[in-house]
């Protein structure tokens, strides 16, 4: 399931992030890539333990903790601390699949990558190229979102970042270990949650809301891994 999560950061917050990231010392992005991905990865990023990466990452995690769409879609158990990257001058990341388990020096230390997230910090008009391209069972999908918006997609999908031929594409990226590892089951729960919310809005206090809510939670209880 691919999902656009709008307005994770406000316009002012994006401005603050960009000002903080201006002039930072980026390192070769291949440092955090696996052997296969390193051959096709051409970008720069902040190190995981960079103080600014930790500071800005904590802001993102606090925002997501109060984002109902993110919570409903990912059912998060663990979140890998957000990292930050920059693509420019032809930088790209060829077709690859994200590493299944990521290790971090900070808690929670190990995160199974069920859901990948890219939070755009550059506006689409600031750069050419740089689309996130995800290849799944329904074909190729491209994402190039407004600054402050985020795209979620299954970590097991083949994906790439197309070459940036003008300007700079700056983004935060991270991974989520879900309580429900199977993407199809998460999508089913997400659709059911949305249907319950619509029914509750259209027909308040309808007995079916209680019944369907029970079905939702019983499925989650059956599928959740804690």
């Amino acid at each position: 399931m691919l999902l656009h999560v709008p307005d994770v950061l406000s316009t002012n917050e994006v401005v603050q992030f960009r000002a903080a990231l201006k002039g930072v010392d980026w390192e070769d992005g291949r440092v955090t890539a696996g052997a296969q991905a390193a051959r096709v990865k051409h970008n720069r990023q902040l190190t995981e333990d960079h103080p600014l990466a930790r500071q800005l990452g904590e802001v993102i995690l606090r925002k997501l903790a109060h984002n109902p769409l993110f919570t409903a879609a990912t059912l998060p158990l663990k979140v890998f601390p957000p990292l930050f990257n920059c693509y420019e001058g032809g930088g790209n990341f060829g077709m690859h699949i994200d590493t299944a388990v990521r290790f971090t020096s900070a808690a929670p230390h190990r995160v199974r990558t069920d859901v990948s997230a890219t939070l755009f910090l550059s506006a689409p008009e600031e750069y050419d190229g740089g689309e996130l391209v995800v290849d799944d069972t329904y074909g190729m999908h491209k994402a190039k979102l407004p600054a402050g918006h985020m795209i979620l997609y299954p970590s097991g999908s083949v994906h790439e970042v197309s070459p940036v031929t003008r300007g700079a594409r700056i983004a935060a990226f991270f991974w989520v270990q879900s309580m429900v590892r199977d993407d199809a089951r998460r999508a089913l729960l997400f659709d059911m949650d949305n249907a319950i919310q619509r029914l509750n809005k259209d027909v308040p206090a309808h007995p079916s809301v209680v019944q369907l809510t029970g079905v939702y939670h019983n499925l989650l209880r059956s599928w959740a891994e804690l």
Side-chain angles (χ1 to χ4, degrees), residues 43-130:
N43 69 358
R44 296 181 296 156
Q45 64 188 46
L46 291 186
T47 58
E48 179 189 336
D49 59 355
H50 193 291
L52 183 58
R54 291 187 175 183
Q55 176 187 341
L56 298 182
E58 288 173 0
V59 174
I60 293 171
L61 294 180
R62 285 198 298 270
K63 299 283 289 188
L64 291 177
H66 302 285
N67 189 302
L69 183 57
F70 170 79
T71 300
T74 65
L75 298 171
L77 179 62
K78 301 177 184 178
V79 180
F80 190 94
L83 300 173
F84 297 83
N85 59 20
C86 176
Y87 291 84
E88 60 185 340
N92 67 95
F93 198 164
M95 283 294 186
H96 66 285
I97 294 177
D98 288 341
T99 302
V101 177
R102 305 288 308 197
F103 296 87
T104 173
S105 58
H109 302 299
R110 292 181 297 178
V111 176
R112 187 185 65 234
T113 58
D114 297 324
V115 182
S116 298
T118 297
L119 173 59
F120 291 82
L121 298 175
S122 297
E125 62 271 16
E126 291 185 80
Y127 60 98
D128 292 334

Side-chain angles (χ1 to χ4, degrees), residues 21 23-28 44-46 84-86 170-171:
L21 290 166
V24 296
D25 293 325
W26 302 93
E27 71 163 13
D28 191 328
R44 296 181 296 156
Q45 64 188 46
L46 291 186
F84 297 83
N85 59 20
C86 176
I170 299 173

Side-chain angles (χ1 to χ4, degrees), residues 128-192:
D128 292 334
E131 296 86 359
L132 173 66
V133 183
V134 181
D135 186 7
D136 65 10
T137 54
Y138 299 101
M140 304 285 283
H141 306 273
K142 295 184 178 181
K144 186 175 181 178
L145 304 183
H149 291 219
M150 183 172 68
I151 188 78
L152 300 173
Y153 56 99
S155 300
S157 59
V158 178
H159 56 281
E160 69 173 340
V161 176
S162 62
V164 173
T165 57
R166 178 188 65 86
R169 175 196 189 269
I170 299 173
F173 64 102
F174 57 95
W175 298 271
V176 179
Q177 178 174 332
S178 176
M179 291 184 287
V180 177
R181 75 166 70 195
D182 182 76
D183 181 59
R185 289 179 174 179
R186 282 198 312 276
L188 178 64
L189 289 169
F190 180 65
D191 288 342
M192 183 177 290

Side-chain angles (χ1 to χ4, degrees), residues 12-53:
N12 287 339
E13 287 168 332
V14 170
V15 170
Q16 292 169 7
F17 271 50
R18 290 293 300 275
L21 290 166
K22 188 176 182 180
V24 296
D25 293 325
W26 302 93
E27 71 163 13
D28 191 328
R30 289 175 292 184
V31 170
T32 57
Q36 183 274 330
R39 292 194 290 268
V40 294
K41 187 176 185 180
H42 307 284
N43 69 358
R44 296 181 296 156
Q45 64 188 46
L46 291 186
T47 58
E48 179 189 336
D49 59 355
H50 193 291
L52 183 58

